[in-house]
Amino acid sequence: MNDVARLMQAAERAAAAGNFNEARKSFLRVLETGEHAEALVHLSYIESKIGSYRAACDYALRAYALPGLSPALMVKVLNRLRNFNQTSALHELIGRFEPQRLDARQLHAVAAQASYLGDQQRALDLLDLALSRQPANAPVLLARAQINTFLGRFDEAEHDLRDCMMYNKGMAAIWWTLARLRKQTPTSNHVEELRRELKVARPPGERAFLAFALHKELDDLGDIAGAGEALTLGCKLKRSELKYSTAQSRALMARLKAAPMPEVAAGGVDRGFTPVFIVGMFRSGTTLLEQLLGGNPAMLNAGELHDFVTSMRYVADYQSTGFLDEDMVRRAETMDFDEVAEHYVRGVEWRLEPGQTHLTDKLPANFFNIGYILRALPDARILHMVRDPVETCFSNLRELFSGASPYSYDQAELAEFYLMYQDLMAHWHATFPGRILDIHYAELTRDTEGVMRGVASHCGLDFLPTMVDPRSRVQSVATASAVQVRSPVIVREVPKWDPYREYLAPLIRGLGSQAT
């Protein structure tokens, strides 16, 4: 055994024992002999463990830059790059893969990263290759169904899910995905099957998938009482797995409002494109607005990007808890926002194609970061989607998120969070007058052209007739609105929440005057 192998073994033993400082020393000794991809990946994990965000990211980038990575190691590097949202490097490394060298598990892993980048067709191709090797692979079939949903291929998605059930009917996520594909009817639904599956002993998160699916199907069938009961169960199950504190949210909002936020006048450095941040509560219509903006070919619909928050993390050398926390707000007081801007631009500009002058960054929770966005990117445009409070909150309540909104599974907590969000937005408007354009969902659906003319003007875009129909240039949509956005703009005379008025009493009471 050579010296490098002995050092690697010693370092791995130390890391497994939790002795990260000793492991770090041994891995660094390996690097003294030359760049070593496996050691760099280990160091990236160790630096994350000891709280050094920037060093962890840099080690991952050094590993990515090495040629000749084995398939197994490339998958590990991809995971590290994804952790730091290094999307340009992710994109380039995926392009280096030789798919024929990968087994089905590795193909599935790479497909997930391609989907994260928005390259749904590449993800689909990789999954197809995985299935050619393992046709009975239920997780791959489920992933394929999700990709086909993002691409609007709903019949193919349903076929994938049916095949998936043949191999593993117990995967709860299958039922949730299937329920969302279409409106269920009295002659074609899965209600009894879902009720049977809910009786099977499963972890709370798995049962939550089934309960939310049952809620959706009963709602389709007009069984409001049954749908409300299923939603109550789903929310209780999901909430039991999450850590959320209303007091912490309130403290964060207060810290943000008290933080110094000097405005930088627009017209600074030319970044080569105009970022357009679409913010608001989840389920407020942000995806619809993005798709309408995408009707102009000068606009790139980039989807829900995490680049701004990860740019702040990199510059602060700090992994914030959740999307933002009080410590990050404190660190931001001395942060170099020019460096934040440079990091952000490097992270997103690779997505632009010739002729595209604008890019949408549609992560709703960026409403936390409006002050920081305008400091780093003075020429950014901020579009704030506003929807009826009860309708917005009800839509959040009945959506099973992956963890993005832990406040949304309890009516009282959801109402309190909504009021805090609304108060913070009022603060941003007062701090940055004229920099944020509110777009009201009801007006957007009733006078789409009139509203979009104002939006285009605010963004510095020409208005085009193709900006009034979300289907005009719709591409992949990897959000909860993947099904709805394939339809024309819908005007509801009776809000979706109205039949649930009695059920939503705690939410309406919590919203107070905002619910009237």
Side-chain angles (χ1 to χ4, degrees):
M1 183 183 296
N2 61 33
D3 290 343
V4 169
R6 280 194 292 269
L7 285 169
M8 287 293 295
Q9 284 190 357
E12 288 168 7
R13 284 196 300 269
N19 190 346
F20 297 122
N21 285 329
E22 188 62 34
R24 183 174 181 272
K25 290 177 184 177
S26 294
F27 284 126
L28 287 173
R29 287 183 63 192
V30 171
L31 294 187
E32 290 174 3
T33 69
E35 291 289 76
H36 188 287
E38 189 78 38
L40 288 166
V41 170
H42 279 294
L43 281 165
S44 178
Y45 279 109
I46 288 171
E47 293 292 349
S48 288
K49 288 283 187 181
I50 64 178
S52 181
Y53 185 94
R54 187 190 289 249
C57 178
D58 289 346
Y59 279 128
L61 288 169
R62 282 171 63 179
Y64 139 79
L66 294 177
L69 297 176
S70 69
L73 193 51
M74 288 179 82
V75 170
K76 291 181 182 179
V77 174
L78 281 177
N79 290 337
R80 294 310 290 160
L81 294 174
R82 165 76 174 271
N83 188 73
F84 305 107
N85 196 48
Q86 291 292 323
T87 55
S88 178
L90 267 174
H91 174 71
E92 195 277 332
L93 185 55
I94 290 173
R96 277 196 242 159
F97 271 88
E98 298 176 34
Q100 296 301 328
R101 296 179 58 204
L102 276 60
D103 61 28
R105 181 186 59 80
Q106 291 165 342
L107 287 164
H108 186 187
V110 179
Q113 306 295 5
S115 178
Y116 175 71
L117 294 178
D119 193 348
Q120 308 302 347
Q121 188 56 56
R122 185 195 291 266
L124 198 61
D125 292 341
L126 291 166
L127 294 173
D128 285 345
L129 183 55
L131 288 171
S132 73
R133 296 175 180 178
Q134 288 186 3
N137 192 318
V140 172
L141 283 164
L142 176 58
R144 193 179 191 279
Q146 291 165 336
I147 300 298
N148 274 320
T149 301
F150 297 158
L151 292 169
R153 301 170 184 172
F154 304 129
D155 290 341
E156 292 181 48
E158 186 163 2
H159 185 271
D160 291 333
L161 294 170
R162 298 293 181 191
D163 286 348
C164 192
M165 282 185 176
M166 289 194 301
Y167 305 119
N168 191 344
K169 194 174 183 178
M171 289 178 65
I174 300 173
W175 298 98
W176 169 232
T177 309
L178 190 61
R180 291 154 59 88
L181 285 177
R182 60 176 175 82
K183 185 173 182 177
Q184 309 300 309
T185 68
T187 58
S188 179
N189 63 76
H190 316 95
V191 169
E192 293 308 315
E193 292 170 289
L194 285 164
R195 284 176 169 152
R196 284 196 298 270
E197 292 291 330
L198 270 167
K199 294 178 182 177
V200 178
R202 286 188 172 92
E206 289 285 297
R207 296 187 70 224
F209 275 116
L210 299 169
F212 273 84
L214 180 60
H215 161 73
K216 197 274 182 184
E217 297 214 2
L218 290 173
D219 178 77
D220 286 347
L221 299 176
D223 182 353
I224 301 304
E229 183 179 340
L231 183 57
T232 297
L233 174 61
C235 287
K236 181 180 179 181
L237 290 165
K238 183 67 176 178
R239 182 66 181 86
S240 71
E241 292 195 323
L242 300 172
K243 292 183 179 179
Y244 173 71
S245 165
T246 294
Q248 286 182 353
S249 288
R250 189 178 297 113
L252 172 60
M253 301 284 194
R255 184 87 186 221
L256 271 172
K257 289 173 62 179
M261 291 285 175
E263 182 177 5
V264 179
V269 179
D270 181 8
R271 304 291 179 183
F273 67 97
T274 300
V276 177
F277 289 84
I278 302 176
V279 304
M281 286 285 288
F282 285 101
R283 311 297 293 143
S284 61
T286 55
T287 298
L288 171 61
L289 178 60
E290 180 182 49
Q291 292 302 316
L292 292 171
L293 277 166
N296 188 318
M299 175 68 80
L300 168 64
N301 285 355
E304 295 186 354
L305 304 181
H306 290 79
D307 291 80
F308 193 83
V309 69
T310 51
S311 294
M312 288 185 64
R313 287 173 179 170
Y314 186 84
V315 173
D317 193 16
Y318 170 66
Q319 172 71 60
S320 56
T321 303
F323 189 80
L324 189 70
D325 61 20
E326 288 187 77
D327 197 22
M328 180 63 87
V329 177
R330 178 183 61 79
R331 291 167 183 254
E333 293 180 8
T334 57
M335 190 175 291
D336 182 345
F337 278 93
D338 287 337
E339 188 180 356
V340 173
E342 291 170 7
H343 194 276
Y344 176 82
V345 171
R346 283 198 308 271
V348 302
E349 63 183 353
W350 68 269
R351 298 174 181 270
L352 292 160
E353 297 179 358
Q356 292 177 328
T357 60
H358 291 64
L359 173 147
T360 55
D361 189 329
K362 191 206 76 68
L363 184 63
N366 263 324
F367 74 81
F368 282 108
N369 282 326
I370 287 175
Y372 302 133
I373 290 169
L374 291 175
R375 285 183 66 183
L377 303 161
D379 288 327
R381 306 301 199 272
I382 310 292
L383 304 177
H384 173 220
M385 201 70 205
V386 181
R387 194 176 185 183
D388 173 78
V390 182
E391 185 77 355
T392 301
C393 289
F394 178 54
S395 191
N396 273 264
L397 190 71
R398 63 198 302 260
E399 183 60 51
L400 185 55
F401 294 98
S402 61
S405 53
Y407 49 81
S408 66
Y409 302 100
D410 177 277
Q411 293 192 39
E413 289 177 337
L414 178 54
E416 285 193 71
F417 184 87
Y418 182 89
L419 294 177
M420 288 187 280
Y421 140 79
Q422 198 173 55
D423 182 60
L424 182 62
M425 286 307 306
H427 169 73
W428 292 139
H429 273 292
T431 306
F432 305 105
R435 300 300 304 274
I436 304 164
L437 179 66
D438 285 347
I439 298 98
H440 294 268
Y441 182 84
E443 294 177 13
L444 181 64
T445 58
R446 287 180 168 82
D447 180 18
T448 307
E449 179 175 339
V451 172
M452 289 307 297
R453 285 184 179 276
V455 171
S457 176
H458 183 80
C459 294
L461 283 169
D462 292 329
F463 172 79
L464 300 177
T466 48
M467 297 171 73
V468 300
D469 187 340
R471 301 168 298 177
S472 61
R473 288 184 68 236
V474 69
Q475 300 166 347
S476 66
V477 178
T479 72
S481 302
V483 175
Q484 299 97 311
V485 81
R486 306 288 172 176
S487 303
V489 176
I490 298 174
V491 178
R492 291 188 183 275
E493 298 303 329
V494 177
K496 181 69 178 174
W497 64 267
D498 192 67
Y500 291 87
R501 185 179 294 272
E502 183 176 348
Y503 171 79
L504 294 173
L507 172 69
I508 294 171
R509 185 167 54 251
L511 289 171
S513 62
Q514 297 301 314
T516 58

